[in-house]
Amino acid sequence: MRFYLAVALVCLGACAQTPNHALIYSKEFGKSPDLAEPEPSVLPTARIARAIGFKAGEAPTPAAGWTVNRFAEGLTHPRWLLELPNGDLLVAETDTPRDSGGFSGLKGLAAKLMMRYGGSNRGSADRIRLLRDTDHDGVADLNVHLVENLHSPFGMAYRDGYLYVANTDALLRFKYPLGEDSIAGPAEHLTDLPALPYNHHWTKSLLFDSTGRRLWIGVGSNSNIAENGMEHEEMRAAILQYDVESGELSVYASGLRNPVGMALHPETGGLWTVVNERDELGDQLVPDYLTEVIEDEFYGWPVWYMGGNKDERVLAQGIDNNTRPRDPDYALGAHTASLGLDFYDYPHPSLRHAAIIGQRGSWNRSQFVGYKVIAVQFDTGRPKDALPVTLLDGFLNEKGQARGRPVGVQALGDGAIVVADDVAGIV
């Protein structure tokens, strides 16, 4: 069996390796990262790769033994993916909500300009697209808009004839028989989701537990380190739990600054997430991380980071918490923007049960990091204490421009991996 990446772009020959320094800072990766001393700053370091997209004939570089092809292109900021039980692929075409405040004042204006330079905050398509490969050649031959007029949709989940969609401010569901190429019926509003100003981390990810009785929702913080006050952080920086039968919404686990990708480990059934950590403590702080999420556990934000390290800036705001948090399982490098997560449940000799992670890439570090799809290898349900394997690289060109930025990832049942590239507009 030949393994391949059904991801961003065609790579028909030798593709040049482009500069990417993520693993130079290898001490930021693994089960016991060597943390640098904090270097607090009023503003984060700003170095963002200009978004230019891939040109015809250009491609990222796959790992040895893998090939890459375009599954679909010409999309508008595709960020998140869901494989349906019949093999169809859904893509959330989405961006920052129009009414999102983000940072306030001059800091907010600067952040928005940098986001646009890097390929975001240019208006949200607010839709979900259906892709279907009917002849199994690795290219979608059906490409249609399934649901439109949403509000910065992100997370998607499917169960028992219903498609669940997480807008930035509400959980919806649609009656949807598998195989249909449109949804005619109206949305059913299930519950509001936290979206008060500033709605800083606007994405809301979704995942059903193994029973289908509860739906987990990843909700990021409304700030960097609660500088707007904890009253703006109610039911945020957490994974929420929605009971499908009762409609009750509650906190499943807390202290997770921005938990985005979520996945069930295929061997243990445990819930895992990747978390984007805080800014403005220097180039090498704080590493994003991959961790198992245990019900009712506290993971530290905003007071603590990477286990038992207290953020003095938060203490200076008069916020403290003496509850020792749970240590994260595996550090993924500072400012790598680790977003997508899925487990590889296919008999590959080295990737069996590995965590596949899309690292969208830094915007606030003096040297670029991330801009990769990586795999963290697992053994008996736990991460190995080793550097991650790079599966797909070369999203930066020799000038440090972003030809693409990988976000959502999905490991398919046939061994392929699909990746949403929101700069190139390609899946």
Side-chain angles (χ1 to χ4, degrees), residues 3-7 63 66 80-81 260-266 272-275 289-291 330 332 337-346 348 350-360 372-378 383 388-392 395 406-412 415-420:
F3 302 96
Y4 61 97
L5 290 168
V7 292
W66 294 71
W80 217 239
L81 303 167
V260 187
M262 298 185 291
L264 299 179
H265 192 273
W272 289 73
T273 189
V274 283
V275 177
Y289 59 85
L290 167 71
T291 196
Y330 189 97
L332 295 169
S338 298
L339 297 172
L341 173 66
D342 200 9
F343 284 103
Y344 196 75
D345 191 18
Y346 196 82
H348 187 283
S350 62
L351 295 185
R352 178 72 165 173
H353 297 160
I356 311 299
I357 298 168
Q359 295 191 314
R360 190 170 185 266
K372 292 174 179 280
V373 177
I374 63 172
V376 175
Q377 296 172 302
F378 271 59
V389 175
T390 296
L391 294 179
L392 197 62
F395 289 93
V407 189
V409 299
Q410 182 89 66
L412 306 183
I417 300 169
V418 286
V419 176

Side-chain angles (χ1 to χ4, degrees), residues 69-96:
N69 67 277
R70 299 182 185 224
F71 188 70
E73 56 188 313
L75 310 184
T76 303
H77 214 249
R79 299 208 83 185
W80 217 239
L81 303 167
L82 175 68
E83 184 188 22
L84 295 174
N86 68 343
D88 287 349
L89 188 71
L90 301 186
V91 184
E93 294 179 285
T94 189
D95 205 339
T96 309

Side-chain angles (χ1 to χ4, degrees), residues 63 112 144 159 311 340 386:
K112 288 180 180 180
V144 296
R159 196 83 179 192
D311 191 331

